[in-house]
Amino acid sequence: MHSDNVKKGPERAPNRSLFYALGYTPEELDRPLIGVISAYSEIVPGHMNLDKLAEAVKAGVRMAGGTPILMPAIGVCDGIAMGHAGMKYSLPSRELICDSVETMCQAHQLDGLVLVPNCDKIVPGMLMAACRLDVPAVVCSGGPMLAGNVGGEEVSLSKMFEAVGAYKAGLIDDAQLEDCTCNCCPGCGSCSGMYTANSMNCLCEAIGIALPGNGTIPAVYAKRLQLGKRSGMAIMDLVRRGVTARQIVNARSIRNALTCDMALGCSTNTVLHLLAIAHEAGVPLDLKLFNEVSAQTPNLCHLAPAGPTHMPDLYQAGGIPAVQAELAKKGLLDLDVPTVTGKTLGENIAGAHILDTKAIRPIDDPYSPTGGLQILWGNLAPDGCVVKRSAVAPEMQVHSGPARVFDSEDAAISAIYAGKIVPGDVVVIRYEGPKGGPGMREMLNPTSALAGMKLDTTVALITDGRFSGASRGASIGHVSPEAASGGPIGLVQEGDTIAIDIPNARITLQVSDEELARRKAAYVPPEPNVKSGWLARYARQVASANLGAVLQ
């Protein structure tokens, strides 16, 4: 066992003395040491219940003959960080989380890890570390929030952000805004739509590194605590059998996750995170595979913000196993991959089926024959960009219009709130990429303002930043190369025509090569937005979005 390095033999007597100082007994030190990495805090609704879940995990570890050791991880609440300078820290925190899990595991020579995250960057950050370390690992997330209720309608956080746009447009009054504020998020859990947190928790289940139910059992259900106990027992089985993270997270299982991603209509952030997870797992993955999988995978779910259903609806409809069972009918999944249950994916989903076709459509009657995400290429994005096409109105799948150019999210949102954006416009927000932001802020405020103002079916938004999973409309992000790296998005001028063709995976700045060359020759890059603190270091080290925005 790895932990023998800190507890066995006379040479390790000083190390053992510190375990005894913690109250551990010789009997406990004779067992495998399992790190329970909990992101519990009192600032993230999705994490406020993780103390209870981590205790359930610890109980499961003890029941199965291990010694659990609780350790912390940080986590940013993207909703609270949204719309101001704090959002610059969200994506970069993924690397801090990954590095800190590696640090705690290696420094203390743990035998296995149960990762207890819930929200956007925490889930991939922890999983990246497990793949980097290649130790036995199980992800056990905190679970989704219940949907809220406003005016008799089921809602979640995306409706709240859109309500601000509706308020600015005079479509709702102060009382209606306050009603939504008080009732859209009813309690603990990851916000209830198919936003990034729930997307990643579902994909952990799809990839096999989390037990069935991880993605959809609501945070407040007793079954979530039972899942924690079973996750604690599962890690002990993996440790005994020597099954490590990279045996679960490999090219075959990542393709399975991509397929589920397309069927579920997951967040565009899953592109960044799957690229980063694959990087840590040593699996080659590029953007072309996303479109290859999308082209053959029907979209079966329209959860918020794409439609009216929420995570509890997906759970009641059979959850991820029911989605996988539908995909398996068309031979779209590799059913022989191993999972942390000790069984294959095929064995895990045997007998699973749809219980409610409002939340999961049968594969013979999908929302669309192609998947929820599409990668676009063209002279505006030579290295690609991404759109959640399942949340784009039919009339915006092909669109062209004049560029309205802004060099920050703040400038764009001011113009939108002031009513300066009109139907047909293509809003361009640049210098918000991994380097330029730095930190690649999410543009939920601008997209939600447009949706709330009823402009999401007539206005497109393009950025080298990224979008929340709560964004809907023709929201095209991750434009690579970014403006701060000399990408063509930095050369766009006010009034240039931009043509978007989502079905054919094209995005074109309708300016001649000669004119673009002339602009490039005259281009003077702006000063960095941040010159001190660790974000300045991040900006120097971060790779492009098409590579997952990992640190080089």
Side-chain angles (χ1 to χ4, degrees):
M1 291 190 292
H2 287 293
S3 59
D4 288 351
N5 292 326
V6 294
K7 65 186 187 184
K8 292 287 187 182
E11 299 82 6
R12 294 294 175 257
N15 312 62
R16 284 198 301 281
S17 73
L18 294 168
F19 279 103
Y20 294 150
L22 288 161
Y24 291 103
T25 65
E27 292 82 0
E28 287 173 296
L29 296 188
D30 278 341
R31 297 176 169 193
L33 303 185
I34 305 299
V36 179
I37 313 293
S38 169
Y40 168 74
S41 75
E42 295 181 346
I43 194 63
V44 188
H47 293 185
M48 64 185 282
N49 63 321
L50 296 188
D51 56 340
K52 309 291 190 300
L53 184 60
E55 286 301 320
V57 170
K58 289 165 64 179
V61 171
R62 289 194 185 100
M63 283 191 284
T67 297
I69 303 176
L70 183 68
M71 298 178 184
I74 65 165
V76 169
C77 177
D78 278 15
I80 295 175
M82 195 69 67
H84 55 87
M87 180 45 72
K88 293 178 184 287
Y89 285 87
S90 173
L91 182 63
S93 74
R94 186 187 72 182
E95 314 311 309
L96 282 182
I97 292 161
C98 178
D99 291 350
S100 66
V101 172
E102 176 193 355
T103 299
M104 295 303 281
C105 185
Q106 291 288 69
H108 305 102
Q109 295 292 288
L110 303 173
D111 297 305
L113 298 172
V114 182
L115 307 167
V116 188
N118 208 23
C119 291
D120 298 31
K121 251 48 81 257
I122 300 87
V123 181
M126 287 188 180
L127 182 50
M128 286 162 63
C131 292
R132 180 188 295 176
L133 293 163
D134 196 24
V135 295
V138 176
V139 173
C140 182
S141 299
M145 189 184 289
L146 298 178
N149 189 295
V150 175
E153 177 190 359
E154 265 199 8
V155 299
S156 54
L157 188 66
S158 56
K159 184 64 72 175
M160 184 67 247
F161 276 90
E162 290 174 17
V164 177
Y167 178 78
K168 294 283 187 180
L171 300 174
I172 62 172
D173 60 21
D174 289 275
Q176 289 169 301
L177 182 65
E178 185 65 9
D179 182 26
C180 194
T181 305
C182 293
N183 294 300
C184 73
C185 294
C188 70
S190 48
C191 299
S192 197
M194 189 53 81
Y195 313 141
T196 305
N198 290 322
S199 294
M200 291 309 303
N201 289 329
C202 288
L203 295 188
C204 284
E205 184 178 337
I207 215 167
I209 198 73
L211 297 178
N214 181 75
T216 61
I217 298 170
V220 295
Y221 282 19
K223 286 188 183 299
R224 181 59 59 174
L225 296 177
Q226 293 167 4
L227 183 79
K229 292 173 184 176
R230 292 203 308 273
S231 297
M233 291 186 270
I235 190 63
M236 293 308 301
D237 178 60
L238 296 176
V239 167
R240 291 192 180 99
R241 293 191 293 118
V243 177
T244 60
R246 290 194 188 189
Q247 293 172 49
I248 304 292
V249 182
N250 52 44
R252 294 161 62 199
S253 64
I254 288 172
R255 187 179 180 111
N256 278 348
L258 268 177
T259 302
C260 285
D261 191 335
M262 299 305 169
L264 291 165
C266 288
S267 164
T268 51
N269 281 317
T270 58
V271 177
L272 280 177
H273 298 326
L274 286 173
L275 287 167
I277 291 163
H279 171 76
E280 296 294 354
V283 175
L285 180 63
D286 67 35
L287 293 178
K288 291 176 183 171
L289 183 62
F290 286 79
N291 277 7
E292 178 187 322
V293 172
S294 185
Q296 63 186 35
T297 307
N299 178 226
L300 306 181
C301 301
H302 266 194
L303 289 98
T309 51
H310 295 87
M311 294 304 295
D313 301 309
L314 181 59
Y315 172 65
Q316 298 293 352
I320 304 309
V323 174
Q324 291 171 317
E326 288 301 301
L327 295 169
K329 290 178 181 178
K330 299 284 188 183
L332 295 174
L333 294 177
D334 184 338
L335 299 178
D336 294 326
V337 294
T339 72
V340 293
T341 65
K343 300 176 182 177
T344 64
L345 172 60
E347 291 170 327
N348 285 347
I349 66 172
H353 58 280
I354 298 173
L355 301 174
D356 182 356
T357 56
K358 291 195 296 290
I360 307 170
R361 283 205 177 173
I363 199 159
D364 291 326
D365 182 29
Y367 284 101
S368 69
T370 52
L373 299 180
Q374 178 82 315
I375 310 298
L376 313 179
W377 284 274
N379 66 344
L380 187 60
D383 293 337
C385 56
V386 61
V387 64
K388 187 174 184 175
R389 64 176 167 192
S390 60
V392 179
E395 58 266 41
M396 289 298 290
Q397 297 282 334
V398 177
H399 176 79
S400 67
R404 305 296 308 281
V405 182
F406 303 94
D407 286 348
S408 70
E409 177 191 12
D410 312 87
I413 196 70
S414 295
I416 294 169
Y417 284 160
K420 294 179 180 178
I421 302 303
V422 299
D425 283 348
V426 178
V427 176
V428 175
I429 304 177
R430 60 195 183 189
Y431 300 106
E432 290 285 7
K435 286 183 185 295
M440 206 179 184
R441 286 196 287 183
E442 288 182 342
M443 305 292 150
L444 180 56
N445 279 358
T447 60
S448 298
L450 293 171
M453 293 173 167
K454 309 297 185 188
L455 289 170
D456 57 299
T457 58
T458 56
V459 172
L461 198 156
I462 298 172
T463 182
D464 53 8
R466 59 198 179 93
F467 294 107
S468 163
S471 291
R472 62 185 173 99
S475 306
I476 299 167
H478 309 190
V479 170
S480 301
E482 63 176 287
S485 295
I489 191 173
L491 307 178
V492 181
Q493 295 181 358
E494 187 81 8
D496 286 347
T497 298
I498 295 176
I500 299 161
D501 185 346
I502 294 173
N504 290 304
R506 299 295 299 169
I507 185 165
T508 307
L509 175 62
Q510 294 187 334
V511 172
S512 70
D513 292 344
E514 293 76 16
E515 172 61 13
L516 284 178
R518 186 189 66 76
R519 292 181 189 180
K520 191 170 182 67
Y523 175 76
V524 178
E527 286 288 306
N529 284 325
V530 174
K531 299 179 181 179
S532 63
W534 80 272
L535 283 186
R537 186 169 71 248
Y538 176 86
R540 291 193 298 271
Q541 294 180 306
V542 69
S544 179
N546 65 297
L547 301 175
V550 295
L551 294 185
Q552 295 172 314

